Amino acid sequence: DKGEHRHFMAKEIHEQPTVIGHTVAAYVDAARQRVVSPAEALDFNSIDRLTLVACGTAYYACHVAKYWFEAIARLPVEIDIASEFRYREPPLSERDAAIFVSQSGETADTLAALRYAAGKVKSVLAVVNVAESSIARAADIVLPIRAGAEIGVASTKAFTCQLVTLATTAILAGRQRGAIDAAEEARLCDLLAEAPRRIAEALTLEDGVAALAQEIARARDVLYLGRGAMYPLALEGALKLKELSYIHAEGYASGEMKHGPIALIDDAVPVVVLAPTDPVFEKTVSNMQEVMARGGKVALITDANGAALAGADAWRVVVLPRIDRFIAPIVYAAPAQLLAYHAALAKGTDVDQPRNLAKSVTVE
Ligand code: F6R
């Protein structure tokens, strides 16, 4: 049932404040400002490395989580897409743990990658939406994301709920490894508790994002840029746009532009820059200026502070609430999803059932 919405995707985008609230409630003890998780069965102090594996959007959730685990838990992290991981015979030992992330829990490559790691690593964790899925059944520890059924082929609410689940796992690992103290755990838990309200605020900007999407829909190619944990969001934004609107889009780390992709820039290629004001904001602004100096049209998605500092020369600016950098990847998913959704509406494509795609990829 789509309720008041035209598409399942719209419904699922707008459900995010509610379902993210469910995920936070499942993993954060609000009264004690502390993470509670089945992942406590693994001692993160007994491992030297964590490997995160998934496909598509779930892989980009792993990519964001790498930044969190490394910063919060000081734990070395490797990430890989399941179809590569399973065939490259990566060396694994009892000093490793591995997390497999899948909305459906049935993705063939992710399941095969899990089976490769099982028995070699200390512990296999599954971050899934479908708790009775094959991937959940094959794991030692199951972390349900509690997003509720996701019908739209393009993953939206599952992505942000995967992020919340992985964020709590990083906090837990940080506590166990002594990398964060109780006060920092409480601060991070409070920020996650704030995420539903923040993403709800971001969703109120839909009209502005839809107006931008009308213009993006005229482009043949679109670039997305981000730095730090916003880099995987740039990749996710580009994936959403191409799968829904069939517009060619690529995501790059902002700092990589000058190493090649900047050759693509002209006034026909919009560049979507995802840049909350964080410690790397100024670096991103200088990459943005390099783009504008070559005639590129920058759509800057930032907060009021960032808009004041760098919005003047941008082609379009979308102003999100000011948030702590920890939850920025969760909140900035909303404009990326809305941009792709409205670009698809403008192009008249089948939003819930894009051509050539299936909701669950059970072939290799
Ligand atoms: C993109 C999308 C896909 C899936 C990927 C993995 O919007 O939905 O990239 O994320 O096929 O699927 P799951 O998470 O079910 O393993």
Side-chain angles (χ1 to χ4, degrees):
D1 178 17
K2 292 177 224 165
E4 67 201 81
H5 297 284
R6 271 173 77 185
H7 299 98
F8 282 108
M9 185 185 178
K11 172 174 173 264
E12 288 160 5
I13 288 173
H14 287 277
E15 267 172 5
Q16 288 178 110
T18 306
V19 294
I20 289 172
H22 294 161
T23 315
V24 173
Y27 290 97
V28 175
D29 178 338
R32 290 165 66 215
Q33 296 171 295
R34 205 177 136 89
V35 168
V36 280
S37 168
E40 283 167 273
L42 164 66
D43 176 7
F44 281 90
N45 234 341
S46 69
I47 58 166
D48 301 324
R49 178 176 65 167
L50 179 65
T51 299
L52 296 161
V53 179
C55 301
T57 288
Y59 170 71
Y60 296 140
C62 296
H63 196 164
V64 172
K66 175 181 170 77
Y67 290 86
W68 285 332
F69 276 101
E70 291 184 345
I72 297 167
R74 307 304 298 152
L75 178 60
V77 172
E78 289 205 26
I79 53 173
D80 207 349
I81 46 180
S83 57
E84 286 301 313
F85 179 86
R86 59 178 293 197
Y87 293 114
R88 71 184 167 85
E89 299 187 19
L92 297 168
S93 80
E94 273 288 304
R95 303 288 300 172
D96 285 291
I99 303 184
F100 298 85
V101 181
S102 175
Q103 187 285 127
S104 62
E106 301 297 344
T107 300
D109 281 320
T110 310
L111 180 59
L114 186 159
R115 292 202 167 120
Y116 172 81
K120 297 187 183 70
V121 299
K122 174 130 202 158
S123 203
V124 165
L125 294 87
V127 171
V128 290
N129 199 25
V130 182
E132 305 76 32
S133 57
S134 307
I135 287 172
R137 283 197 306 268
D140 301 317
I141 298 172
V142 180
L143 305 177
I145 63 168
R146 299 181 193 276
E150 190 179 66
I151 310 291
V153 163
S155 189
T156 53
K157 63 176 181 170
F159 175 67
T160 46
C161 291
Q162 285 161 354
L163 288 180
V164 171
T165 305
L166 291 165
T168 62
T169 314
I171 295 170
L172 169 68
R175 181 214 301 159
Q176 289 183 346
R177 293 169 62 82
I180 55 168
D181 60 14
E184 179 65 357
E185 177 163 3
R187 188 184 77 86
L188 296 173
C189 286
D190 286 349
L191 288 168
L192 288 177
E194 209 181 274
R197 191 157 39 87
R198 295 312 199 170
I199 202 160
E201 284 170 40
L203 291 170
T204 64
L205 302 170
E206 181 154 8
D207 290 349
V209 177
L212 172 61
Q214 295 295 322
E215 316 217 37
I216 295 281
R218 286 188 211 115
R220 208 184 65 179
D221 308 280
V222 180
L223 298 183
Y224 284 72
L225 302 184
R227 216 177 241 276
M230 285 297 131
Y231 164 39
L233 261 291
L235 298 171
E236 167 63 4
L239 175 62
K240 285 285 102 92
L241 188 71
K242 64 188 138 191
E243 72 178 322
L244 289 162
S245 70
Y246 317 146
I247 296 167
H248 172 239
E250 298 297 335
Y252 287 102
S254 307
E256 272 295 290
M257 277 303 279
K258 57 172 134 346
H259 299 287
I262 201 160
L264 295 169
I265 296 299
D266 65 24
D267 61 9
V269 183
V271 181
V272 179
V273 180
L274 298 161
T277 45
D278 60 15
V280 293
F281 180 75
E282 274 176 40
K283 301 285 175 199
T284 301
V285 170
S286 61
N287 303 133
M288 219 177 90
Q289 281 158 350
E290 290 157 9
V291 167
M292 293 186 300
R294 285 153 187 87
K297 297 194 295 193
V298 169
L300 175 62
I301 303 185
T302 184
D303 47 43
N305 193 29
L309 289 169
D313 302 324
W315 168 59
R316 294 287 181 272
V317 184
V318 174
V319 182
L320 293 191
R322 183 106 195 254
I323 43 173
D324 187 277
R325 61 194 293 227
F326 175 50
I327 59 166
I330 301 167
V331 177
Y332 277 64
Q337 295 163 350
L338 289 171
L339 190 56
Y341 175 70
H342 286 282
L345 290 189
K347 303 259 335 193
T349 54
D350 186 343
V351 173
D352 281 334
Q353 203 49 259
R355 69 185 182 200
N356 310 341
L357 293 176
K359 181 66 184 158
S360 179
V361 184
T362 52
V363 292
E364 299 172 18

